[in-house]
């Protein structure tokens, strides 16, 4: 009965088990930093909700059986002394389970049903299946027995509190099998499309095709590439609800949204091998751009938030994206990007510049993406150097696009504006040694020990050489054995798990590595890349990492971390290949 476990093994304590396109996963993580004893079917429609509890049971006593859980991209298994249960995705909304030697229980995670919350459970005679209906997700979960028998049914049509669910056990042949579907109101009775081994093989093959496409360069020098690709692949959901395109969520743990700068790193990692998905990632937040030109803070299944924005790294990202795509963009595609970037840039130049001001401002640290960085300790409505730098890069990208689209006057205007913003940045925020932040209200300036103050290195070749060198020297001070600490470790404000007040983050790493390289600081850029890659290879793809120990923090299956690893590993591979070619030629 045992299907083959192949591909990179991982712990479901850290990485949820799921597949491309699915809106649910199998995981013990049922809420932020909340781990259940049993694995759950966790849906991300209408938020994150642990809907069904999945429990291997001792066949004699009916109690929870002691098992170990093993997971690879195509197969999840519970293995105990008396038997084994296996689970594989047949499709994005259907999983198949089979077992021998163990009973298996599928129970509602919520024990209490009210008129407005919980899970109602009943037998559906039309489909000869048992159905759970969830108030929280607004969806139904149908369990169909394919072989074996129901050993027990509890709580059918019950109201109030109590256990609800089914227990399946084997017949004489010693095996049982069920299907669990996530559906809307109704569909025809479940009919098996393939034997279980074929289902598992198809899921395995789908992932293998994906990783071959996005990381064909992988080798022993990039040992975490397959797992990084799995994190991205398994966190991708189908277009549904307010997610207007196939979307890579930041995680299928509790960070189950698309934030309006995170998506750029996923787009870049996907560009060469999965260009259509990359294009969708880039545009997804722009589908919700408001009348002012602002992008939303985040998008998920049933919610779009506009109370904050995110930094304008989209011009920088598009420049890299189009160079990575395997096909040239046509005029209509370039026009779409141009018009969306134009409106997004206009937002910063109008809604976010005070009367008479040359530089735009953030209204809160959240707008920068560095929510609680020490740059914002003194005030929150602040003019910062990183914002001006990103805007300069975006203006240059607009100028390039305008020139291609034969809008010469607009190209000239964008170039002039970029020059004016950069001149103001250097004149008003550069002290000769470092950049400072300035109150948008009083004009008072201050510096901090935050890496955020050094982010203008992203300007790369646009920086005066002496400014780039000074920034590079300061960046070196932030390097720990594991990467770039977001707050100097010697700072009195440094916190090991302080979010943006110390831990290492992927986006800052990628932006700084790229800026250093374009500014000519290749050796330091190589060091930044190598340390971050080694960090991921040792500690996985967490939301962020303790800068002094390397331990992963917060959400442990974060796609922009995985994508950043893929980007840095890919570029490192190509540099090595180019160096080998050059050596051969000489």
């Amino acid at each position: 009965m045992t299907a083959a476990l192949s591909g990179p093994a991982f712990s479901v304590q850290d990485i949820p088990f799921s597949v491309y396109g699915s809106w649910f996963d199998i995981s013990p993580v049922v809420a932020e930093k909340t781990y259940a004893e049993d694995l759950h079917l966790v849906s991300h429609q209408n938020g994150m909700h642990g809907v069904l509890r999945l429990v291997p049971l001792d066949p004699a006593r009916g109690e929870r059986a002691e098992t170990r859980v093993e997971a690879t991209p195509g197969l999840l298994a519970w293995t105990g002394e008396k038997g084994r249960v296996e689970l594989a995705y047949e499709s994005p909304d259907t999983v198949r389970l089979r077992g021998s030697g163990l009973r298996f229980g599928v129970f509602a995670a919520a024990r209490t049903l009210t008129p407005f919350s919980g899970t109602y459970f009943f037998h559906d005679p039309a489909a000869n299946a048992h159905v759970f209906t969830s108030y929280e997700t607004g969806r139904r979960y149908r369990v169909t027995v394919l072989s074996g028998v129901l050993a027990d049914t509890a709580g059918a049509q019950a109201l109030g509190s109590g256990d609800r669910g089914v227990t399946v056990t084997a017949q004489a042949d010693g095996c049982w099998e069920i299907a669990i579907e996530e559906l809307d109101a109704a569909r025809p009775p479940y009919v098996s499309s393939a034997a279980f081994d074929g289902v598992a093989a198809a899921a395995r093959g789908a992932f293998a095709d994906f990783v071959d496409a996005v990381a064909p360069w992988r080798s022993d020098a990039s040992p975490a590439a397959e797992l990084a690709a799995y994190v991205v692949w398994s966190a991708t959901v189908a277009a549904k609800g307010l997610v207007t395109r196939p979307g890579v969520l930041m995680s299928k743990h509790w960070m189950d949204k698309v934030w309006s700068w995170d998506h750029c790193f996923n787009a870049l990692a996907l560009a060469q091998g999965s260009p259509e998905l990359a294009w969708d990632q880039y545009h997804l937040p722009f589908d919700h751009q408001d009348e002012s030109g602002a992008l939303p803070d985040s998008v998920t299944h049933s919610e779009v938030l506009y109370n904050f924005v995110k930094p304008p790294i989209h011009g920088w990202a598009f420049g890299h994206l189009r160079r990575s795509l395997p096909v040239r963009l046509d005029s209509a595609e370039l026009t779409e990007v141009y018009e969306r970037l134009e409106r997004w840039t206009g937002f910063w130049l109008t809604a976010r510049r005070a009367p008479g001001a040359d530089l735009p401002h953030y209204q809160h640290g959240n707008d920068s993406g560095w929510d609680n960085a020490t740059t914002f300790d003194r005030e929150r409505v602040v003019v910062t150097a990183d914002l001006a730098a990103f805007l300069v890069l975006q203006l240059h990208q607009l100028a390039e696009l305008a020139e291609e689209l034969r809008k010469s006057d607009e190209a000239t205007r964008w170039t002039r504006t970029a020059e004016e913003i950069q001149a103001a940045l250097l004149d008003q925020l550069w002290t000769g040694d470092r950049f400072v932040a300035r109150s948008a209200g009083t004009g008072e300036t201050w510096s901090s020990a935050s890496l955020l103050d050094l982010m203008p290195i992203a300007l790369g070749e646009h920086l005066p050489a002496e400014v780039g060198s000074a920034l590079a020297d300061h960046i070196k001070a932030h390097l720990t054995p594991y990467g770039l600490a977001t707050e100097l470790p010697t700072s009195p404000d440094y916190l090991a798990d302080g979010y943006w007040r110390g831990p290492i983050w992927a986006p800052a790493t990628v932006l700084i590595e790229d800026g250093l390289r374009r500014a000519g600081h290749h050796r330091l850029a190589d060091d930044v890349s190598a340390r971050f890659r080694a960090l991921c290879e040792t500690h996985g793809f967490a939301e962020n990492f303790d800068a002094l120990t390397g331990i992963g923090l917060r959400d442990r299956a974060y796609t922009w971390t995985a994508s950043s690893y893929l980007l840095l590993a890919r570029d490192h591979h190509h540099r090595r290949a180019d160096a080998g070619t050059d050596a051969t030629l000489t």
Side-chain angles (χ1 to χ4, degrees):
M1 188 206 81
T2 303
L5 282 163
S6 62
F10 58 91
S11 168
V12 292
Q13 295 288 322
D14 294 333
I15 300 174
F17 182 78
S18 192
V19 295
Y20 182 103
S22 181
W23 276 92
F24 68 83
D25 62 83
I26 309 300
S27 172
V29 181
V30 294
E32 182 175 357
K33 301 178 184 177
T34 303
Y35 292 77
E37 184 176 9
D38 299 307
L39 297 189
H40 282 57
L41 185 153
V42 182
S43 179
H44 298 273
Q45 299 196 62
N46 290 327
M48 178 187 185
H49 305 287
V51 181
L52 301 179
R53 187 165 53 93
L54 308 176
V55 190
L57 300 168
D58 183 279
R61 301 190 307 274
E63 299 172 351
R64 178 185 290 102
E66 290 296 322
T67 59
R68 69 178 186 276
V69 176
E70 303 166 296
T72 59
L75 188 70
L76 175 72
W78 294 259
T79 304
E81 290 185 0
K82 296 184 179 180
R84 177 179 169 95
V85 176
E86 297 172 336
L87 181 151
Y89 276 81
E90 181 175 47
S91 69
D93 64 14
T94 302
V95 290
R96 291 267 290 275
L97 295 95
R98 72 175 179 184
S100 65
L102 296 171
R103 293 186 177 190
F104 198 79
V106 181
F107 306 110
R111 295 192 75 254
T112 300
L113 176 68
T114 79
F116 305 105
S117 66
T119 303
Y120 174 60
F121 174 63
F122 64 97
H123 177 258
D124 178 7
N128 190 26
H130 285 81
V131 178
F132 301 84
T133 70
S134 168
Y135 273 102
E136 283 70 27
T137 69
R139 301 300 183 275
R140 297 172 178 233
Y141 302 84
R142 187 168 71 183
V143 180
T144 303
V145 176
L146 307 181
S147 66
V149 295
L150 290 177
D152 188 30
T153 302
Q157 301 186 48
L159 306 179
S161 294
D163 290 329
R164 296 172 174 81
V166 297
T167 300
V168 62
T169 191
Q171 288 182 307
D173 64 359
C175 294
W176 57 263
E177 189 169 346
I178 61 174
I180 304 176
E181 304 163 88
E182 182 177 56
L183 57 124
D184 294 338
R187 66 172 54 160
Y190 174 83
V191 176
S192 173
S193 64
F196 185 93
D197 286 334
V199 168
R204 214 164 41 239
F207 171 68
D209 290 344
F210 180 84
V211 72
D212 284 344
V214 302
W217 41 261
R218 66 194 187 278
S219 70
D220 291 344
S222 51
E226 287 197 21
L227 191 56
Y230 176 75
V231 170
V232 175
W233 178 78
S234 64
T236 303
V237 295
K240 198 167 189 179
L242 296 170
V243 176
T244 50
R245 306 161 182 258
V248 181
L249 303 179
M250 286 310 100
S251 174
K252 280 183 181 169
H253 284 158
W254 59 87
M255 301 295 281
D256 55 352
K257 297 184 179 184
V258 177
W259 275 268
S260 292
W261 69 315
D262 310 41
H263 69 110
C264 291
F265 301 91
N266 288 332
L268 294 179
L270 293 164
Q272 291 185 359
S274 187
E276 291 184 5
L277 185 59
W279 187 250
D280 284 334
Q281 298 327 294
Y282 184 79
H283 279 287
L284 200 158
F286 282 98
D287 291 346
H288 298 279
Q289 197 168 18
D290 77 4
E291 63 275 8
S292 75
L295 296 182
D297 184 43
S298 62
V299 179
T300 192
H301 177 269
S302 302
E303 175 187 84
V304 180
L305 299 181
Y306 292 94
N307 54 326
F308 295 106
V309 292
K310 284 294 175 277
I313 66 166
H314 302 81
W316 168 86
F318 180 70
H320 284 287
L321 178 66
R322 67 179 306 189
R323 287 189 290 273
S324 297
L325 291 170
V327 295
R328 288 178 60 85
L329 298 174
D330 61 29
S331 178
E333 291 167 325
L334 292 175
T335 298
E336 180 181 29
V337 173
Y338 178 78
E339 291 175 348
R340 288 179 159 196
L341 279 179
E342 180 182 34
R343 294 178 60 216
W344 179 219
T345 304
F347 163 80
W348 290 101
L349 294 176
T350 54
R352 289 300 182 89
R353 282 204 293 191
D358 298 309
L359 298 174
H361 60 266
Y362 292 130
Q363 294 177 343
H364 187 279
N366 288 0
D367 286 341
S368 74
W370 295 53
D371 308 1
N372 65 336
T374 55
T375 300
F376 302 101
D377 278 1
R378 189 171 301 189
E379 292 187 26
R380 261 60 64 194
V381 183
V382 179
V383 176
T384 64
D386 68 297
L387 172 53
F390 295 144
L391 199 57
V392 168
L393 292 173
Q394 192 153 292
L395 288 160
H396 282 303
Q397 189 61 48
L398 278 169
E400 287 184 30
L401 285 167
E403 201 65 60
E404 288 185 65
L405 294 170
R406 300 182 180 179
K407 301 174 184 284
S408 297
D409 290 346
E410 293 183 27
T412 300
R413 176 166 58 89
W414 294 127
T415 299
R416 184 173 61 249
T417 305
E419 292 169 348
E420 291 169 353
I421 296 289
Q422 181 159 330
L425 167 65
L426 294 170
D427 180 57
Q428 297 175 26
L429 300 183
W430 179 248
T431 66
D433 175 63
R434 64 184 306 117
F435 285 104
V436 294
R438 194 182 72 216
S439 167
T442 67
E444 180 186 4
T445 62
W446 61 88
S447 63
S448 76
S450 175
L451 186 64
L452 182 63
D453 294 1
L454 309 178
M455 290 306 295
I457 194 66
L459 282 167
E461 70 277 13
H462 300 289
L463 281 172
E466 65 276 12
V467 175
S469 294
L471 290 175
D473 287 341
H474 287 302
I475 287 167
K476 289 177 189 175
H478 284 261
L479 267 177
T480 75
Y482 304 98
L484 290 167
T486 46
E487 180 80 5
L488 275 176
T490 55
S491 164
D493 298 312
Y494 176 88
L495 293 171
D497 187 10
Y499 224 49
W500 293 93
R501 303 170 78 90
I504 296 165
W505 286 79
T509 301
V510 170
L511 285 160
I512 286 175
E513 191 267 356
D514 174 68
L516 285 168
R517 205 171 292 285
R518 290 188 293 106
H521 299 277
H522 297 283
R523 183 170 297 180
L524 180 56
D526 288 343
D527 197 5
V528 169
S529 172
R531 295 188 195 204
F532 186 79
R533 285 182 284 114
L535 173 67
C536 293
E537 287 160 6
T538 303
H539 295 289
F541 306 104
E543 184 179 355
N544 52 55
F545 303 86
D546 186 312
L548 301 182
T549 68
I551 298 300
L553 304 171
R554 309 296 174 116
D555 196 312
R556 302 298 292 275
Y558 218 67
T559 57
W560 75 355
T561 307
S563 287
S564 295
Y565 175 83
L566 291 170
L567 280 171
L568 294 172
R570 180 195 71 192
D571 291 348
H572 175 66
H573 168 83
H574 290 319
R575 282 193 300 273
R576 288 179 62 192
D578 291 344
T581 300
D582 292 344
T584 301
L585 291 174
T586 57

